[in-house]
Amino acid sequence: MARGRGDKEDAEKYSGLLKLVQILSFLVVFVAGIIIGLATSAHMNTYFSSQAQLFSTSTVTSFKVSNSKDNCSQTRTPPCSELDCLSMNVFLHPTNLTHKLSDDELFWRASLTPYRKEYPFPRVPKVAFMFLTRGPLPFMPLWERFFKDHEKYFSIYLHTPPDYHLNTSIDSPFYGRQIPSQRVEWGTVSLAGAERRLLANALLDFSNERFVLLSESCIPVYNFQTVYKYLIGSSYSFVESYDDPTRYGRGRYNRKMLPHIKLYQWRKGSQWFEMQRSVATYIVSDTKYYDLFKKYCKPACYPDEHYIPTFLNMFHGSMNANRTVTWVNWSMGGPHPAMHEGVNVTAGFIQAIRNNGTLCAYNAEQTSVCYLFARKFAPSALEPLLNLSSTVMNF
């Protein structure tokens, strides 16, 4: 009996000690949790404070750097805090032509086409005048006179050598109209690439409806009102595309393009085109056939004379008038057309270009107005052209 009572007392003492140990253990864990929580909280506050300071400093620094680089754009664009960068106007009518898009990114962006036919804004269709130049524009004073007082109805895009800067006044319609460009070599696919680059940049403005390619030696032979009405009113594009059975046409075809391009589909035409918006979109959306020309159409195959004429013939021939609206004189023979100096420029010469006695198709009718532009003219022709612009060309 005595031993049983002792065992019971020992068990009660052991039970009490166990409860005390449990309570002490709970307190230790609780206090440790508080200490860890406080330490973690302090560390996080320090981290986020330093990150906020870093972000604030880098934002201010980058803003200062971006505003110090005047060569990024010829007209300074306000930051998004001052300009609604997601507004319809900025999306539809980009005012700053400077961007850092690659060609693939640019062509993808330019190929976007809305399914809705109606526009959610009062759209005035414009003509995009795209100048593919080797540098200076000797006939800029003539073009400025041509464009005067018609700002609502046209856009200008310049593809020049990358390191060339066009020197012009801020009041000129050519001011700030150079697009990001790449080097171009005559007779190579880079010419066709430059044409697509001009089209893509012009397509970013949803008001541009017609697209005409010009060089630094091109001039207008009619006034702006006549040109605008002619192009906007046309149901077709003006891309010369014909089958040339000689070695200068079919002779340039490469059988390695089979089976994608067959000989009977091969076409030739003038580089200086004019086209409607839907056709321009098709051109910049193409990757397959441009890559074929890039790979297999090399001198003496000239992609600028074959790529677009062949592509349109294969897929969009019904949208094309199969003629050019840019007059050129090939009577001298050779790989380049005749160059006209100042002494050649007379009222009779310009009138002969405007109406040479032939007729051409315009929509469903015949017309004597077949050429709106002409080339090639030497810089010496500027002064006589300015003297004739008001009396002969009516601008």
Side-chain angles (χ1 to χ4, degrees), residues 50 66 69 113 176 282 351 374:
S50 63
S66 64
K69 293 181 179 179
T113 303
Y282 292 136
Q351 288 288 15

Side-chain angles (χ1 to χ4, degrees), residues 270-320:
S270 169
Q271 174 188 4
W272 310 104
F273 60 75
E274 192 284 332
M275 60 182 60
Q276 63 216 81
R277 186 176 183 90
S278 56
V279 172
T281 305
Y282 292 136
I283 295 296
V284 303
S285 300
D286 169 53
T287 55
K288 177 179 179 179
Y289 295 92
Y290 178 76
D291 286 346
L292 282 173
F293 274 83
K294 186 176 181 179
K295 188 174 182 179
Y296 298 119
C297 185
K298 298 179 179 180
C301 172
Y302 301 101
D304 56 295
E305 294 183 359
H306 294 283
Y307 166 60
I308 292 179
T310 299
F311 183 79
L312 290 191
N313 174 62
M314 292 177 64
F315 301 107
H316 310 290
S318 63
M319 306 175 72
N320 187 25

Side-chain angles (χ1 to χ4, degrees), residues 28 43 113 167 177 183 220 231 289 310 318-319 335 370 385:
V28 169
H43 176 73
T113 303
N167 186 20
R177 303 309 298 176
R183 295 202 174 277
L231 297 180
Y289 295 92
T310 299
S318 63
M319 306 175 72
C370 299
L385 285 169

Side-chain angles (χ1 to χ4, degrees), residues 304-348:
D304 56 295
E305 294 183 359
H306 294 283
Y307 166 60
I308 292 179
T310 299
F311 183 79
L312 290 191
N313 174 62
M314 292 177 64
F315 301 107
H316 310 290
S318 63
M319 306 175 72
N320 187 25
N322 284 332
R323 66 180 179 89
T324 179
V325 288
T326 300
W327 178 88
V328 65
N329 180 8
W330 286 101
S331 63
M332 304 297 291
H336 300 287
M339 175 72 77
H340 300 285
E341 302 287 344
V343 294
N344 306 126
V345 177
T346 64

